[in-house]
């Protein structure tokens, strides 16, 4: 696996879960990989040591710090935005500030990060956002605001693909279904309900998502852009 040798990659939200699997895969494919995290210092340092990557603490809810950090990286060949958060519950009871913080992290940050990276990204660059199949389908109560954020990513990817296509930069949205992470454990209280909606009745693994991200980041995916790619065990079918 050395499809990405010579490429410089940044993964936002790479300390745990799907982001950590993406960091591991991109590094294994030869990319010079840097990742960010918000609070998990130990997890980030362990992953960086194990994969030969670099970790930096950058909170995606702080737009100006995030944009300045990306500008300071210089030209990136690959930007993957995996950082995300989930606030669930009765919308009549949810804390409005928590909902707005989720919107900041899941919507505003991907947009501003993509724009900041695009300023210096070379021809052939790749911008990949981790959305969710919930951008297409939200069959459970209590997640309207989360679904809102993931549907917003879809529109962003369509528009930015057109803004950046003339420069040979692709912009794609990878939409996982349930994946076994701390956000959505395979043994969690909603697992059985979620599996009931699916063709393949199990949680996915981070490495299954990472393999697809690596393909989109690689040299064979230059004609794929502006698209939503569900990888979800048939959750959205
Ligand atoms: P986890 O909660 O397991 O990991 C979240 C990651 O994002 C961590 O590395 C975390 O850093 C980072 N992060 C969270 N908030 C911030 C922030 N403000 N600034 C920077 N980094 C931040 O989540 P998953 O791996 O499950 O989810 C990753 C993405 O995939 C999300 O966008 C999520 O919405 C999406 N997704 C997940 C699904 C699932 O079933 N797991 C299904 C569909 C989509 P730290 O460790 O420092 O907290």
């Amino acid at each position: 696996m050395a499809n990405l040798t010579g490429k410089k990659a940044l993964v936002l939200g790479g300390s745990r879960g799907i982001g950590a699997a993406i960091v591991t895969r991109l590094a294994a494919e030869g990319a010079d990989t840097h990742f960010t995290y918000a609070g998990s210092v130990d997890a980030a340092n362990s992953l960086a040591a194990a994969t030969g990557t670099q970790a930096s603490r950058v909170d995606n809810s702080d737009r100006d710090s995030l944009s300045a950090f990306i500008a300071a990286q210089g030209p990136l060949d690959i930007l993957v935005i995996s950082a995300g958060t989930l606030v669930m519950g009765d919308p009549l009871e949810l804390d409005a500030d928590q909902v707005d913080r989720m919107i900041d992290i899941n919507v505003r940050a991907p947009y501003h990060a993509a724009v900041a990276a695009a300023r210096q990204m070379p021809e052939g660059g790749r911008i990949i956002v981790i959305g969710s199949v919930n951008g297409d389908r939200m069959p459970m109560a209590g997640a309207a605001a989360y679904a809102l954020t993931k549907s917003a990513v879809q529109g962003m990817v369509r528009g930015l693909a057109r803004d950046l296509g003339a420069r040979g930069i692709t912009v794609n949205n990878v939409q996982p279904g349930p994946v076994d992470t701390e956000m959505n454990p395979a043994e969690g209280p909603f697992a059985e309900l979620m599996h009931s909606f699916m063709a393949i009745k199990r949680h996915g693994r981070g490495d299954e998502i990472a393999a697809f991200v690596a393909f989109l980041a690689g040299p064979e995916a230059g004609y794929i852009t502006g698209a939503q790619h569900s990888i979800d065990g048939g959750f959205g079918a």
Side-chain angles (χ1 to χ4, degrees):
M1 283 200 295
N3 257 342
L4 302 177
T5 301
K7 301 293 184 189
K8 186 170 173 183
L10 175 65
V11 180
L12 301 179
S15 48
R16 295 184 287 115
I18 293 169
I22 293 168
V23 168
T24 302
R25 179 70 187 238
L26 296 186
E29 297 224 16
D32 171 9
T33 306
H34 195 149
F35 68 91
T36 65
Y37 62 98
S40 301
V41 181
D42 292 345
N45 289 340
S46 306
L47 181 67
T51 55
T53 58
Q54 195 184 340
S56 295
R57 190 173 197 165
V58 183
D59 186 338
N60 274 24
S61 68
D62 179 344
R63 183 196 63 202
D64 292 345
S65 296
L66 176 63
S67 296
F69 172 79
I70 291 172
Q73 300 313 300
L76 295 167
D77 298 293
I78 301 161
L79 174 70
V80 180
I81 304 160
S82 187
T85 185
L86 167 67
V87 175
M88 267 190 89
D90 181 345
L92 307 189
E93 307 290 340
L94 283 178
D95 181 87
D97 287 339
Q98 279 191 23
V99 171
D100 281 356
R101 181 175 157 78
M102 175 173 66
I103 292 169
D104 284 349
I105 294 168
N106 292 10
V107 180
R108 290 163 54 115
Y111 176 81
H112 292 297
V115 170
R119 291 188 198 285
Q120 302 184 74
M121 192 167 259
E123 169 95 24
R126 304 279 194 261
I127 297 173
I128 299 162
V129 189
I130 308 301
S132 167
V133 69
N134 292 142
D136 285 328
R137 183 175 191 222
M138 188 61 254
M140 294 156 60
Y146 180 74
L148 172 164
T149 69
K150 297 304 186 177
S151 297
V153 166
Q154 297 182 336
M156 179 190 93
V157 158
R158 292 187 183 102
L160 284 179
R162 296 190 184 275
D163 292 320
L164 303 176
R167 292 167 49 196
I169 296 171
T170 67
V171 187
N172 285 287
N173 177 19
V174 171
Q175 303 193 134
V179 176
D180 186 16
T181 66
E182 286 173 54
M183 181 187 282
N184 184 2
E187 308 302 329
F190 299 110
E192 200 175 323
L193 177 62
M194 286 188 285
H195 297 169
S196 74
F197 304 130
M198 298 167 69
I200 296 172
K201 296 185 182 301
R202 65 168 174 85
H203 273 46
R205 301 185 313 271
D207 64 283
E208 292 176 303
I209 309 304
F212 188 62
V213 169
F215 174 75
L216 287 176
E220 293 175 296
Y223 196 53
I224 303 173
T225 197
Q228 330 296 329
H229 310 275
S230 288
I231 169 164
D232 65 350
F235 187 102

